[in-house]
Amino acid sequence: MNRWIQTILLVLALPWVSVAAADDNKDWRKDGTLEEKMAHIIKTLPSTANIMIEIGKRYQDLYWAAKLGKWEFAQYQVEEIEGLLEVLQITRPGRAESTKVFLDKGLTGFEAAFKSKDWNTFLRAFQNMHAQCMSCHIVNDHAFIVLPLEPATSSSLILNLPQK
């Protein structure tokens, strides 16, 4: 008898379960309210950590591109770092002020290095960038994240190809 009651309850509950499942599968992009859409979009914005991982790879590639004399590729890395930091200012407004300080101070000297294609000029700009990275990490309570002054490797497939 108990089995019959369970079966009847299950049969009666099925329509409600399928309606609830349909609501869970609702496409918020098409059917959601403006508030729901904004909440979902905000949740999908890259975190500071996501952006910093990419910046870290570009930091390595910047160093090795210059070391290998691939100045155009090195300049590209600086431009990409700058763009990523501008995105960070938008996606993480709490970091906007320290990011602005970095953008004002951390990327100086590279233009002269790329124009002259001189390793020593580049190295001074890179050392300045490193110092500004560390200052920014300290200000943002991430002093435990210490970048190498001379990255051991590049993350780039382009730079890791056999050199001619």
Side-chain angles (χ1 to χ4, degrees):
M1 187 82 147
N2 193 18
R3 181 68 95 181
W4 283 102
I5 293 172
Q6 288 176 343
T7 304
I8 291 170
L9 289 174
L10 181 61
V11 168
L12 292 173
L14 279 176
W16 296 105
V17 171
S18 64
V19 168
D23 284 346
D24 287 343
N25 293 326
K26 181 176 101 172
D27 188 343
W28 62 267
R29 296 167 301 168
K30 293 187 232 171
D31 304 323
T33 66
L34 181 58
E35 291 78 19
E36 290 171 326
K37 290 176 182 179
M38 289 304 297
H40 284 295
I41 289 170
I42 289 169
K43 282 181 186 177
T44 64
L45 293 175
S47 69
T48 303
N50 295 122
I51 293 172
M52 286 297 151
I53 287 168
E54 185 170 349
I55 289 174
K57 290 178 180 181
R58 293 189 180 281
Y59 174 90
Q60 289 174 279
D61 294 347
L62 168 61
Y63 178 87
W64 281 99
K67 187 147 183 117
L68 295 170
K70 298 186 178 289
W71 296 105
E72 190 174 352
F73 194 66
Q75 183 173 358
Y76 173 69
Q77 300 311 314
V78 170
E79 291 166 0
E80 289 297 305
I81 289 170
E82 184 175 19
L84 287 162
L85 290 169
E86 289 169 355
V87 168
L88 180 64
Q89 289 180 303
I90 296 166
T91 62
R92 299 293 179 238
R95 305 252 192 239
E97 187 176 326
S98 59
T99 302
K100 182 181 180 336
V101 171
F102 180 86
L103 286 168
D104 290 345
K105 296 180 179 180
L107 302 177
T108 60
F110 284 114
E111 189 175 325
F114 299 142
K115 187 175 183 176
S116 68
K117 298 180 180 177
D118 178 66
W119 171 251
N120 290 323
T121 305
F122 169 83
L123 197 53
R124 283 190 297 280
F126 191 80
Q127 289 167 344
N128 172 65
M129 177 183 176
H130 177 272
Q132 294 304 317
C133 288
M134 297 297 81
S135 294
C136 194
H137 289 185
I138 290 166
V139 167
N140 287 290
D141 298 323
H142 284 76
F144 58 92
I145 299 175
V146 179
L147 297 174
L149 194 51
E150 295 180 18
T153 62
S154 168
S155 67
S156 171
L157 296 173
I158 295 164
L159 296 175
N160 288 327
L161 291 172
Q163 302 301 310
K164 295 178 184 178

